[in-house]
Amino acid sequence: MKFLSAILSPEPGSGTRNISRGYLALFATVIIWSLPSLFQFYLLRYYDVWAQNFYRYSVACIAIAPFVAFRVRRGGGPRLDLRAFALCLIPAVPNVVHQITQTIALFYIGPGVYAIFTRSSVIMTALLALIFFPEERHILRQWQFQVGTLLGLLGAIGVFWFQPGANTGHVALRGLLIAFIATTCWALYGVLVKRPSARLGSIRSFGLISFITSVMLFPLTCAFGNVATPVQVSWFVNLVLVVSAVTCITMAHVLYYVAIQEIGVALAQTLQLLCPLGAVALSGWIFGEHLTTAQLWSAAILLFGAFLAMRVKPVATTETAENL
């Protein structure tokens, strides 16, 4: 019931902070965001890349719809019109690319490794924010940002490169490139979503973006995937897909928004660096994925670099609040 109360809480600025609720929501998201790559890795046995992403986002869109309707009925917010649609269309494009490429990346690396690798998006988001918000470029002169960026990128490459059985040929390079594109598109989405989220609110913006994302994924699934997958797999597999969509996309989004309202973005994003630890532990237990010593050192370097970069992140970057 506390989660439901948090979901239905007023928009920012209309209430007082509740620290306990903020920490409850935050630690729930840390747990939930340890799971996405594991769900996707498991579903790849039954769902192709295109169908998996289309149905996960479609379920997430349906799950958030009642809360969007609740916000609209309450009134007092901006209308969901063509202007709002155009505003949400811009971040939806890199979101679609991210969803596809992150799933493809799991053909090359394990879910635990990807969970670590994707933490480099913190640094990439900051770099992209510097491009979109010129007033923040003084950040480039701070040593924490420079050292953090260098360590984070080196650690990200090391985590991928030192995985067991990796080849130094075109397959390894292709996998690294795909993972890099996925992480960069996620960072780009994180920057571009700031404007619609600020204008429409988190619930409305996510509802509209999830709808647009689903619509864009549908023709891709028809062209390259198998739309009929849900009727060709067991009910358990479909249940896993639904649970992954509702928890890792819809619920996590709303709970994280509650967390940043109550305890602030800086602390909320810092504690998100704990997510890869859960992902690695669960992936080792469920899928038998184990990191080499070189990968563990690379992961430590990456996370430390991300932490340093986050200490001086542009304000425009720290205001972004979505990780879908």
Side-chain angles (χ1 to χ4, degrees):
M1 294 302 295
K2 287 186 177 182
F3 285 166
L4 184 60
S5 173
I7 290 172
L8 300 179
S9 63
E11 292 288 344
S14 61
T16 59
R17 286 193 169 191
N18 184 322
I19 302 299
S20 297
R21 184 179 68 176
Y23 276 107
L24 180 65
L26 176 59
F27 285 111
T29 61
V30 170
I31 294 172
I32 291 172
W33 279 336
S34 299
L35 303 176
S37 58
L38 279 75
F39 277 122
Q40 291 172 306
F41 186 76
Y42 171 80
L43 289 170
L44 277 175
R45 303 173 181 178
Y46 309 97
Y47 275 80
D48 61 75
V49 170
W50 314 94
Q52 179 183 151
N53 284 288
F54 167 66
Y55 283 109
R56 287 182 75 245
Y57 250 86
S58 297
V59 170
C61 180
I62 294 171
I64 198 67
F67 303 108
V68 175
F70 177 82
R71 294 291 191 195
V72 172
R73 283 200 304 270
R74 288 180 57 188
R79 296 174 55 189
L80 296 180
D81 51 18
L82 286 177
R83 184 176 180 181
F85 181 89
L87 199 62
C88 292
L89 177 62
I90 297 174
V93 174
N95 187 36
V96 169
V97 178
H98 163 71
Q99 298 302 325
I100 296 298
T101 50
Q102 74 166 344
T103 311
I104 295 176
L106 292 173
F107 284 112
Y108 298 92
I109 55 180
V113 171
Y114 182 79
I116 297 171
F117 188 92
T118 194
R119 289 299 102 189
S120 62
S121 65
V122 169
I123 296 170
M124 295 179 189
T125 301
L127 291 172
L128 289 169
L130 294 175
I131 297 174
F132 285 93
F133 305 101
E135 66 275 12
E136 304 285 0
R137 289 179 183 168
H138 66 279
I139 297 295
L140 286 172
R141 295 193 294 269
Q142 299 189 34
W143 71 268
Q144 294 98 326
F145 184 78
Q146 296 172 0
V147 174
T149 299
L150 178 61
L151 292 178
L153 295 178
L154 289 175
I157 295 174
V159 165
F160 182 92
W161 206 261
F162 294 119
Q163 63 181 322
N167 297 316
T168 56
H170 69 282
V171 174
L173 290 174
R174 184 190 306 162
L176 179 61
L177 178 61
I178 293 171
F180 180 79
I181 292 173
T183 305
T184 302
C185 285
W186 175 247
L188 182 61
Y189 168 77
V191 173
L192 295 178
V193 82
K194 176 180 180 290
R195 187 178 176 190
S197 182
R199 175 177 172 79
L200 303 174
S202 182
I203 300 295
R204 290 184 179 91
S205 62
F206 171 63
L208 196 50
I209 289 173
S210 63
F211 173 75
I212 296 172
T213 300
S214 300
V215 170
M216 295 176 70
L217 285 168
F218 179 69
L220 294 174
T221 304
C222 291
F224 306 109
N226 181 10
V227 180
T229 303
V231 299
Q232 297 173 349
V233 299
S234 69
W235 66 269
F236 180 79
V237 173
N238 287 325
L239 177 62
V240 170
L241 184 140
V242 170
V243 170
S244 71
V246 174
T247 56
C248 299
I249 300 179
T250 306
M251 186 183 297
H253 167 85
V254 177
L255 289 175
Y256 189 54
Y257 188 66
V258 171
I260 65 169
Q261 280 185 254
E262 306 297 353
I263 64 177
V265 177
L267 179 59
Q269 289 209 349
T270 299
L271 290 179
Q272 293 305 314
L273 294 176
L274 297 174
C275 292
L277 301 180
V280 169
L282 289 171
S283 182
W285 177 47
I286 299 172
F287 301 115
E289 180 190 18
H290 298 289
L291 272 65
T292 65
T293 301
Q295 283 181 299
L296 290 173
W297 278 107
S298 298
I301 292 171
L302 188 160
L303 295 178
F304 180 68
F307 176 79
L308 277 181
M310 286 172 66
R311 296 302 84 202
V312 294
K313 252 193 322 188
V315 174
T317 304
T318 59
E319 288 177 353
T320 61
E322 298 186 7
N323 189 353
L324 309 178

